[in-house]
């Protein structure tokens, strides 16, 4: 596959959860990319989800360190997208703000890795390629 993609929280979560049915596919997506762009909001959501799953702070730090120290990972400076995210709302409410920030970054990058069907649908409407190409 190669290339660059903005990676959504759910892909990261599946890629570290060996018991997930999407583990292998998510790992494949992550491993196939030349560069991974992570919005900081994705990092916050990732850690929050680890906490909900019962991970200790030490486990979360260890897991996040492996991700952030990977030379292919780039953190997106969300500040550049905090206002432009509002342009991508359409008729949606504020509860979609986080996804709109992710979408604004993906619009610049061109590709979004996500399993979120609604976000993928929104991405397609503004010309962003979604991976994986097909969701089962």
């Amino acid at each position: 596959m190669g290339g660059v993609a903005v990676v959504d929280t759910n892909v990261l979560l599946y890629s570290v959860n060996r018991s997930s049915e999407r583990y292998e596919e998510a790992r494949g997506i992550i491993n196939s990319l030349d560069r991974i762009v992570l919005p900081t909001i994705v990092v916050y959501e990732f850690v929050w989800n680890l906490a909900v799953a019962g991970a200790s702070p030490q486990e979360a730090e260890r897991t996040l360190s492996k991700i952030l120290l990977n030379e292919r990972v780039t953190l997106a400076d969300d500040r550049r997208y905090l206002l432009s995210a509002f342009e991508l709302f359409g008729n949606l409410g504020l509860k979609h703000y986080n996804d709109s920030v992710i979408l604004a970054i993906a619009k610049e990058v061109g590709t979004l890795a996500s399993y979120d069907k609604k976000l993928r649908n929104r991405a397609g409407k503004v010309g962003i390629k979604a991976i994986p190409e097909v969701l089962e």
Side-chain angles (χ1 to χ4, degrees), residues 4-133:
V4 180
V6 171
V7 175
D8 193 12
T9 310
N10 52 55
V11 175
L12 277 186
L13 289 167
Y14 288 133
S15 76
V16 300
N17 181 356
R18 293 179 192 271
S19 63
S20 164
E21 62 189 38
R22 295 191 190 260
Y23 172 75
E24 292 295 333
E25 182 182 42
R27 294 290 292 195
I29 291 168
I30 296 288
N31 290 332
S32 72
L33 294 170
D34 295 326
R35 200 177 77 168
I36 298 160
V37 178
L38 290 182
T40 53
I41 190 66
V42 166
V43 174
Y44 298 137
E45 290 176 352
F46 180 75
V47 172
W48 183 83
N49 276 280
L50 291 177
V52 169
S56 70
Q58 295 79 13
E59 291 172 305
E61 180 183 16
R62 195 169 38 253
T63 303
L64 187 58
S65 291
K66 287 179 185 175
I67 294 167
L68 296 179
L69 296 176
N70 184 314
E71 63 186 16
R72 295 178 301 124
V73 173
T74 302
L75 283 179
D77 184 356
D78 289 4
R79 293 175 297 175
R80 294 182 44 214
Y81 307 94
L82 296 176
L83 294 176
S84 62
F86 286 103
E87 298 168 14
L88 298 169
F89 264 72
N91 60 354
L92 300 173
L94 279 176
K95 68 180 183 175
H96 296 278
Y97 181 72
N98 289 3
D99 282 348
S100 294
V101 172
I102 294 166
L103 202 58
I105 297 166
K107 189 173 178 187
E108 184 173 295
V109 171
T111 305
L112 172 68
S114 180
Y115 291 106
D116 181 327
K117 290 179 183 177
K118 288 180 183 177
L119 183 58
R120 290 169 59 88
N121 185 42
R122 289 176 66 198
K125 289 179 179 177
V126 292
I128 300 166
K129 177 184 174 186
I131 54 176
E133 290 185 25

